[in-house]
Short mmCIF file of all heavy atoms in Angstrom, two decimals:
data_model
loop_
_atom_site.label_atom_id
_atom_site.label_comp_id
_atom_site.label_asym_id
_atom_site.label_seq_id
_atom_site.Cartn_x
_atom_site.Cartn_y
_atom_site.Cartn_z
N GLY A 235 -116.10 111.12 -12.93
CA GLY A 235 -114.69 111.42 -12.64
C GLY A 235 -113.87 110.14 -12.55
O GLY A 235 -114.41 109.04 -12.44
N GLU A 236 -112.53 110.29 -12.62
CA GLU A 236 -111.62 109.13 -12.64
C GLU A 236 -111.86 108.20 -11.45
O GLU A 236 -111.85 106.97 -11.59
CB GLU A 236 -110.16 109.59 -12.56
CG GLU A 236 -109.73 110.57 -13.63
CD GLU A 236 -109.27 109.87 -14.89
OE1 GLU A 236 -109.24 108.63 -14.88
OE2 GLU A 236 -109.00 110.57 -15.88
N ALA A 237 -112.09 108.79 -10.31
CA ALA A 237 -112.18 108.00 -9.09
C ALA A 237 -113.27 106.94 -9.18
O ALA A 237 -113.13 105.83 -8.67
CB ALA A 237 -112.45 108.92 -7.90
N TYR A 238 -114.33 107.31 -9.88
CA TYR A 238 -115.48 106.41 -9.98
C TYR A 238 -115.09 105.04 -10.52
O TYR A 238 -115.60 104.01 -10.08
CB TYR A 238 -116.53 107.05 -10.90
CG TYR A 238 -117.84 106.31 -10.93
CD1 TYR A 238 -118.86 106.64 -10.05
CD2 TYR A 238 -118.05 105.26 -11.84
CE1 TYR A 238 -120.05 105.95 -10.06
CE2 TYR A 238 -119.24 104.57 -11.85
CZ TYR A 238 -120.23 104.91 -10.97
OH TYR A 238 -121.40 104.23 -10.98
N TYR A 239 -114.18 105.04 -11.48
CA TYR A 239 -113.86 103.78 -12.18
C TYR A 239 -112.79 102.96 -11.46
O TYR A 239 -112.51 101.83 -11.82
CB TYR A 239 -113.43 104.08 -13.62
CG TYR A 239 -114.53 104.80 -14.37
CD1 TYR A 239 -114.61 106.19 -14.37
CD2 TYR A 239 -115.52 104.08 -15.01
CE1 TYR A 239 -115.64 106.85 -15.01
CE2 TYR A 239 -116.55 104.73 -15.67
CZ TYR A 239 -116.61 106.12 -15.66
OH TYR A 239 -117.63 106.76 -16.29
N GLU A 240 -112.19 103.58 -10.44
CA GLU A 240 -111.19 102.84 -9.68
C GLU A 240 -111.85 101.87 -8.70
O GLU A 240 -111.30 100.83 -8.37
CB GLU A 240 -110.24 103.80 -8.96
CG GLU A 240 -109.17 104.30 -9.91
CD GLU A 240 -108.66 105.69 -9.56
OE1 GLU A 240 -108.77 106.10 -8.39
OE2 GLU A 240 -108.16 106.37 -10.49
N LYS A 241 -113.06 102.25 -8.27
CA LYS A 241 -113.79 101.33 -7.39
C LYS A 241 -114.19 100.11 -8.22
O LYS A 241 -114.64 100.25 -9.35
CB LYS A 241 -115.05 102.00 -6.85
CG LYS A 241 -114.77 103.04 -5.78
CD LYS A 241 -116.06 103.70 -5.31
CE LYS A 241 -116.52 104.77 -6.28
NZ LYS A 241 -117.79 105.38 -5.99
N LYS A 242 -114.03 98.94 -7.65
CA LYS A 242 -114.29 97.73 -8.43
C LYS A 242 -115.74 97.66 -8.92
O LYS A 242 -116.02 97.28 -10.04
CB LYS A 242 -113.94 96.51 -7.58
CG LYS A 242 -113.43 95.36 -8.44
CD LYS A 242 -112.94 94.22 -7.58
CE LYS A 242 -112.94 92.95 -8.42
NZ LYS A 242 -113.22 91.79 -7.61
N ALA A 243 -116.64 98.02 -8.00
CA ALA A 243 -118.06 97.87 -8.34
C ALA A 243 -118.55 99.01 -9.23
O ALA A 243 -119.69 99.01 -9.66
CB ALA A 243 -118.90 97.81 -7.09
N GLY A 244 -117.63 99.98 -9.45
CA GLY A 244 -118.06 101.21 -10.14
C GLY A 244 -118.92 100.99 -11.37
O GLY A 244 -120.11 101.29 -11.36
N PHE A 245 -118.32 100.41 -12.39
CA PHE A 245 -119.05 100.32 -13.65
C PHE A 245 -120.24 99.37 -13.56
O PHE A 245 -121.31 99.65 -14.06
CB PHE A 245 -118.12 99.87 -14.77
CG PHE A 245 -118.73 100.10 -16.10
CD1 PHE A 245 -118.79 101.38 -16.63
CD2 PHE A 245 -119.30 99.06 -16.80
CE1 PHE A 245 -119.40 101.62 -17.84
CE2 PHE A 245 -119.91 99.28 -18.02
CZ PHE A 245 -119.96 100.56 -18.55
N LYS A 246 -120.02 98.28 -12.86
CA LYS A 246 -121.11 97.31 -12.70
C LYS A 246 -122.29 97.97 -12.00
O LYS A 246 -123.45 97.77 -12.39
CB LYS A 246 -120.61 96.13 -11.86
CG LYS A 246 -120.82 94.81 -12.55
CD LYS A 246 -120.30 93.69 -11.69
CE LYS A 246 -120.93 92.39 -12.14
NZ LYS A 246 -120.51 91.28 -11.30
N GLY A 247 -121.95 98.76 -10.99
CA GLY A 247 -123.00 99.47 -10.25
C GLY A 247 -123.80 100.36 -11.17
O GLY A 247 -125.02 100.44 -11.09
N ALA A 248 -123.07 101.02 -12.05
CA ALA A 248 -123.74 101.94 -12.96
C ALA A 248 -124.69 101.18 -13.88
O ALA A 248 -125.82 101.61 -14.14
CB ALA A 248 -122.70 102.67 -13.80
N MET A 249 -124.24 100.01 -14.35
CA MET A 249 -125.09 99.23 -15.25
C MET A 249 -126.40 98.83 -14.57
O MET A 249 -127.43 98.66 -15.21
CB MET A 249 -124.37 97.97 -15.74
CG MET A 249 -123.17 98.22 -16.63
SD MET A 249 -123.53 99.20 -18.09
CE MET A 249 -124.26 97.95 -19.14
N SER A 250 -126.33 98.70 -13.25
CA SER A 250 -127.55 98.26 -12.57
C SER A 250 -128.65 99.33 -12.64
O SER A 250 -129.82 99.04 -12.44
CB SER A 250 -127.25 97.90 -11.11
OG SER A 250 -127.01 99.09 -10.38
#
Side-chain angles (χ1 to χ4, degrees):
Chain A
E236 305 273 357
Y238 188 91
Y239 301 90
E240 278 151 24
K241 286 178 280 175
K242 212 174 159 212
F245 194 75
K246 235 180 161 183
M249 293 304 280
S250 72

